[in-house]
Amino acid sequence: AGLEAVRRLEPIESTLEDWRAGGGNGQDVRQREAQLRMIRELHGDALLSLAVNANVRLRNPARALEYIERAYALTQNPFMRALRACYRARSGKTDEARAVLRAVVPAPSLYYNLACTHALLGEKELALDFLERDFRENYPTPGSLARQRDWARKDPDLASIAGEPRFARLLGGAG
């Protein structure tokens, strides 16, 4: 479904870019810009979905990174920047991951992906710090926190910190 969405969105995006380049009155240009932003967002979301699938189901980090890089080219927001660092780290491109991380300003919505990225880079204390902040700041109900802890328990990106006593404490274990 994701590949089909990308195939359908790319020509629409190209057409809108051509129309935008054609000029016109102010209202037409603004409308085309809004349509182009919407299509790029949908295109980026489809690529992100493909990246997650390539990573989780196909276990193909190189393909996942390819999709993330393409999505980032369309949507250069903090969330995508954090994912880009994570996917680069997962692909073994540690220097590139660290370079991207330098441009990431930590925010609550990014904490979990930053924890994963630092864990993948072997930076255990930073990974645990971000995971702790994620649990503390992002899950207002016991149920939502329990679901996130369960996800973290199974997340292969966090495997390098899974044996740490602090990780066990964060997940509700004895440690």
Side-chain angles (χ1 to χ4, degrees), residues 86-130:
C86 188
Y87 277 69
R88 283 181 174 193
R90 190 181 295 122
S91 295
K93 298 177 182 241
T94 57
D95 291 339
E96 292 177 22
R98 285 186 176 96
V100 173
L101 273 179
R102 285 192 286 276
V104 174
V105 177
S109 63
L110 307 178
Y111 291 160
Y112 188 84
N113 287 315
L114 292 174
C116 290
T117 304
H118 287 291
L120 289 163
L121 292 171
E123 299 166 353
K124 293 180 181 184
E125 287 305 311
L126 279 171
L128 289 163
D129 289 347
F130 279 113

Side-chain angles (χ1 to χ4, degrees), residues 4 8 17-18 32 46 50 87-88 93 101 111 114 116 132 140 144 157 159 163 165 169:
E4 184 60 31
R8 289 181 178 180
E17 287 172 348
D18 291 346
R32 288 180 194 138
L50 288 169
Y87 277 69
R88 283 181 174 193
K93 298 177 182 241
L101 273 179
Y111 291 160
L114 292 174
C116 290
E132 181 175 358
S144 64
D157 288 351
R169 285 192 302 275

Side-chain angles (χ1 to χ4, degrees), residues 119-166:
L120 289 163
L121 292 171
E123 299 166 353
K124 293 180 181 184
E125 287 305 311
L126 279 171
L128 289 163
D129 289 347
F130 279 113
L131 188 62
E132 181 175 358
R133 291 174 76 181
D134 180 63
F135 288 170
R136 186 178 58 238
E137 297 179 34
N138 287 324
Y139 305 96
T141 66
S144 64
L145 179 57
R147 282 187 296 279
Q148 187 63 11
R149 283 179 170 157
D150 188 49
W151 178 264
R153 198 172 278 114
K154 299 172 189 171
D155 192 335
D157 288 351
L158 300 176
S160 71
I161 61 172
E164 298 293 315
R166 186 172 164 202

Side-chain angles (χ1 to χ4, degrees), residues 17 33 39 61-62 74 79 116 157 171-172:
E17 287 172 348
E33 286 289 334
I39 293 299
L74 296 167
F79 178 74
C116 290
D157 288 351
L171 294 179

Side-chain angles (χ1 to χ4, degrees), residues 51-68:
V52 170
N53 184 60
N55 180 55
V56 174
R57 295 181 75 202
L58 303 178
R59 302 269 190 239
N60 186 336
R63 171 76 48 86
L65 179 60
E66 173 195 328
Y67 289 134
I68 282 295

Side-chain angles (χ1 to χ4, degrees), residues 1-3 5-7 9-10 13 39-55 63-75 80 83 87:
L3 280 173
V6 168
R7 278 191 212 110
L9 290 167
E10 286 175 340
E13 184 179 350
I39 293 299
R40 283 187 175 152
E41 188 173 314
L42 290 170
H43 189 181
D45 289 348
L47 289 164
L48 176 56
S49 177
L50 288 169
V52 170
N53 184 60
N55 180 55
R63 171 76 48 86
L65 179 60
E66 173 195 328
Y67 289 134
I68 282 295
E69 293 291 350
R70 289 173 58 193
Y72 181 75
L74 296 167
T75 310
M80 287 301 298
L83 280 180
Y87 277 69

